[in-house]
Amino acid sequence: MKILIVEDEQELRTALLSYLKNEGYICESVQNFEDAQEKIHLYNYDIIVLDIGLPDGNGLDLLQQLKSQRSQAGVLIISAKNSLDDKLKGLDVGADDYITKPFHLAELNARIKSILRRRNFGGNREVIFEEICINTDTFETKVGGKAIVLTQKEQELLLYFISNQNRVLTKESIAEHLWGDHMDMADSFDFIYTHIKNLRRKISQKGGNNYLQTVYGIGYKFAKQ
């Protein structure tokens, strides 16, 4: 899952970036309104952690831009303001949740997971597709009731496919989802082929079916056979 952190306080931004990366998320960060605008125009995110009070603009204006673009990103507002009016305005504009500074990083992570569950998996902690079952809190994955050991990237790839089942995903969109900005430095998409090959093999070894369909010249589709 890919997260954009929009926060002007350097110490907090660094702490958020470090903590969420350690939790397995792909994270990028910016410290002002202008850079945030550029990011949301160039890339897609699963979650945007958005500070309201930015030095060169209002975070709520950025939220309104996201909604006008029909962005599918979940938005968690963070702010030093603790007034009911600010919370209601943010939620009314389209934020998914609101957390007030200071906060515990573990609480922020729990709220991020809750937003992801609501948006992608109907609020369920277990994502089930045929014989495949993933716990979105522990990331334990089972195929036909048998535990399967996946790398972090394989886990992210499987969740990405399941949450976009029956849709053709381009190699570019897969690379961006898994690597964020760093995908621009890739000379080829060989790393995607490797991860998909390994994912197919591990699911097959546990008796699972191959739902990954290659759409030649475009990318891949995850669908029932």
Side-chain angles (χ1 to χ4, degrees):
M1 297 294 175
K2 191 166 64 167
I3 297 176
L4 175 65
I5 301 165
V6 184
E7 170 57 59
D8 64 309
E9 294 180 25
Q10 182 176 350
E11 187 175 348
L12 177 57
R13 186 174 65 256
T14 301
L16 289 171
L17 198 61
S18 175
Y19 179 84
L20 293 174
K21 281 185 175 180
N22 285 337
E23 288 296 306
Y25 299 105
I26 298 165
C27 296
E28 299 164 12
S29 68
V30 293
Q31 59 184 351
N32 58 53
F33 187 94
E34 184 179 355
D35 289 346
Q37 272 189 315
E38 183 179 2
K39 284 284 189 182
I40 66 173
H41 283 300
L42 289 175
Y43 303 103
N44 295 316
Y45 297 93
D46 297 292
I47 295 287
I48 297 176
V49 179
L50 176 63
D51 189 1
I52 289 180
L54 298 171
D56 57 341
N58 190 315
L60 293 178
D61 293 334
L62 192 68
L63 177 56
Q64 288 177 323
Q65 289 184 29
L66 283 165
K67 297 308 172 182
S68 68
Q69 296 169 12
R70 300 185 182 277
S71 169
Q72 297 301 307
V75 178
L76 173 60
I77 288 178
I78 56 174
S79 175
K81 299 177 181 179
N82 193 22
S83 74
L84 179 61
D85 288 343
D86 287 323
K87 292 182 182 180
L88 292 178
K89 186 174 181 181
L91 295 172
D92 187 54
V93 171
D96 294 271
D97 203 352
Y98 190 114
I99 191 169
T100 303
K101 301 175 186 177
F103 52 80
H104 293 289
L105 294 175
E107 180 187 358
L108 178 126
N109 188 31
R111 290 175 183 249
I112 287 173
K113 288 181 177 180
S114 178
I115 292 172
L116 289 170
R117 285 196 300 267
R118 291 200 306 269
R119 283 186 159 264
N120 298 330
F121 310 115
N124 298 312
R125 283 184 168 82
E126 285 194 337
V127 178
I128 298 174
F129 181 89
E130 296 297 297
E131 70 273 21
I132 300 171
C133 178
I134 304 171
N135 185 305
T136 58
D137 283 342
T138 64
F139 290 106
E140 181 184 22
T141 302
K142 294 182 178 180
V143 177
K146 302 173 185 176
I148 179 174
V149 179
L150 301 176
T151 66
Q152 180 181 323
K153 292 300 182 188
E154 291 165 357
Q155 185 79 253
E156 291 172 4
L157 186 60
L158 182 57
L159 269 174
Y160 187 50
F161 276 126
I162 291 177
S163 61
N164 289 278
Q165 58 188 273
N166 299 314
R167 292 177 56 193
V168 176
L169 301 175
T170 65
K171 294 185 288 291
E172 291 81 3
S173 67
I174 295 170
E176 181 189 328
H177 182 81
L178 293 180
W179 280 272
D181 281 352
H182 300 296
M183 63 87 66
D184 296 332
M185 297 183 290
D187 294 328
S188 70
F189 292 109
D190 289 346
F191 51 84
I192 295 178
Y193 308 143
T194 300
H195 284 303
I196 288 177
K197 178 182 177 181
N198 291 338
L199 186 58
R200 280 175 168 154
R201 174 178 54 80
K202 290 181 178 181
I203 292 175
S204 174
Q205 286 176 343
K206 297 297 181 180
N209 294 308
N210 179 22
Y211 301 107
L212 274 164
Q213 304 172 13
T214 301
V215 182
Y216 291 99
I218 302 176
Y220 299 89
K221 182 169 71 170
F222 196 87
K224 296 179 183 179
Q225 294 178 327

